[in-house]
Each structure stands twice: as structure tokens, then as C-alpha cells.
Amino acid sequence: MTAKRAAVLQVLRDSEGHLQPDEIFRRAKLLYPGMVLATVYNNLHALCEAGLIRRIRTADGADYYDKTPTPHEHAICSHCGRMLDLELGDLTAAFSAKTEMPILAYDLIVHTLCSDCLAEKKQA
């Protein structure tokens, strides 16, 4: 693994949540000052292809990257945009039974209010 690819992977492994490419670039540049944005995108693609990270595409076109490559669901706060992991279990069988079609894979993103934004709303 190249030093730049290792730096991108390290940024994700050290993160507390899901990051967008611009934030990964900003953090990776601290680890590897010669980093450029195109290199970040190329390495994110390679890391996804290798199964080391997961790309999460949202309806508004924003991509997030997740250090946990195993299938799981996500929630996005409609107020602050924060993405959170959801653990709903494997829904493949339920979706397949409901649709009467084989489900090969799925991505589920629930739109909600995170606990911080919900608390802020209640105080207002």
C-alpha cells in the first residue's frame, strides 16, 4: 500500500463518523503534506474496490465514506447533515419476501434528526 493510500485509510480509521472527500483531504494533508484532492479520490476508489472502506451515496449527490465496509444501514440528520450508523440487522430476506424478487444488495438511508438537533429543537 502506498504512503498516500495508507494516509487516506488512516484518516478514515481515526474518524468518529462518516467523512466526505473534502474532509478526508483536509485531514490527510496533515499526515501527508504533498497530498492533492485527485489523489484522495483515486485512493478512496481503490480502497472501496479492495473492500477496506465503503462508499455511501446520498440522494443529494453527496458521497460519504465509511470505515466499516460490512453492510449496515445509515441515518442522516435532516438538520445538520450528520450521518450515523443504524443496526437494523439483515433486511434482505424481508425485502425479498415483500417484493418477491431476489435482493442482491441494498443501501438504506433514513432521514431523521440526530439527538443533538432534537435536543436543540426541544430547547427552542
Side-chain angles (χ1 to χ4, degrees):
M1 182 177 295
T2 67
K4 290 179 181 179
R5 186 164 298 162
V8 170
L9 184 57
Q10 191 62 47
V11 164
L12 282 164
R13 287 188 173 157
D14 290 346
S15 71
E16 293 180 13
H18 306 78
L19 301 177
Q20 292 183 299
D22 58 335
E23 180 62 18
I24 295 168
F25 169 64
R26 189 183 66 71
R27 294 181 188 189
K29 200 163 175 66
L30 296 173
L31 297 172
Y32 202 97
M35 187 73 71
V36 296
L37 187 56
T39 300
V40 169
Y41 275 103
N42 290 336
N43 283 297
L44 287 170
H45 177 74
L47 291 166
C48 286
E49 289 292 314
L52 297 173
I53 63 171
R54 184 174 175 196
R55 178 181 179 184
I56 304 157
R57 295 181 174 137
T58 62
D60 66 0
D63 286 343
Y64 290 81
Y65 288 86
D66 191 340
K67 63 184 170 188
T68 307
T70 55
H72 59 279
E73 295 72 32
H74 295 93
I76 294 180
C77 179
S78 295
H79 186 258
C80 71
R82 184 172 152 209
M83 182 176 280
L84 308 160
D85 286 333
L86 289 179
E87 298 297 332
L88 301 177
D90 188 356
L91 302 174
T92 304
F95 289 159
S96 193
K98 205 66 153 152
T99 63
E100 298 180 2
M101 294 183 287
I103 304 299
L104 304 176
Y106 69 90
D107 289 308
L108 177 65
I109 297 175
V110 176
H111 295 265
T112 187
L113 291 176
C114 70
S115 57
D116 294 339
C117 290
L118 191 57
E120 183 180 303
K121 189 174 181 174
K122 285 181 181 178
Q123 289 178 350

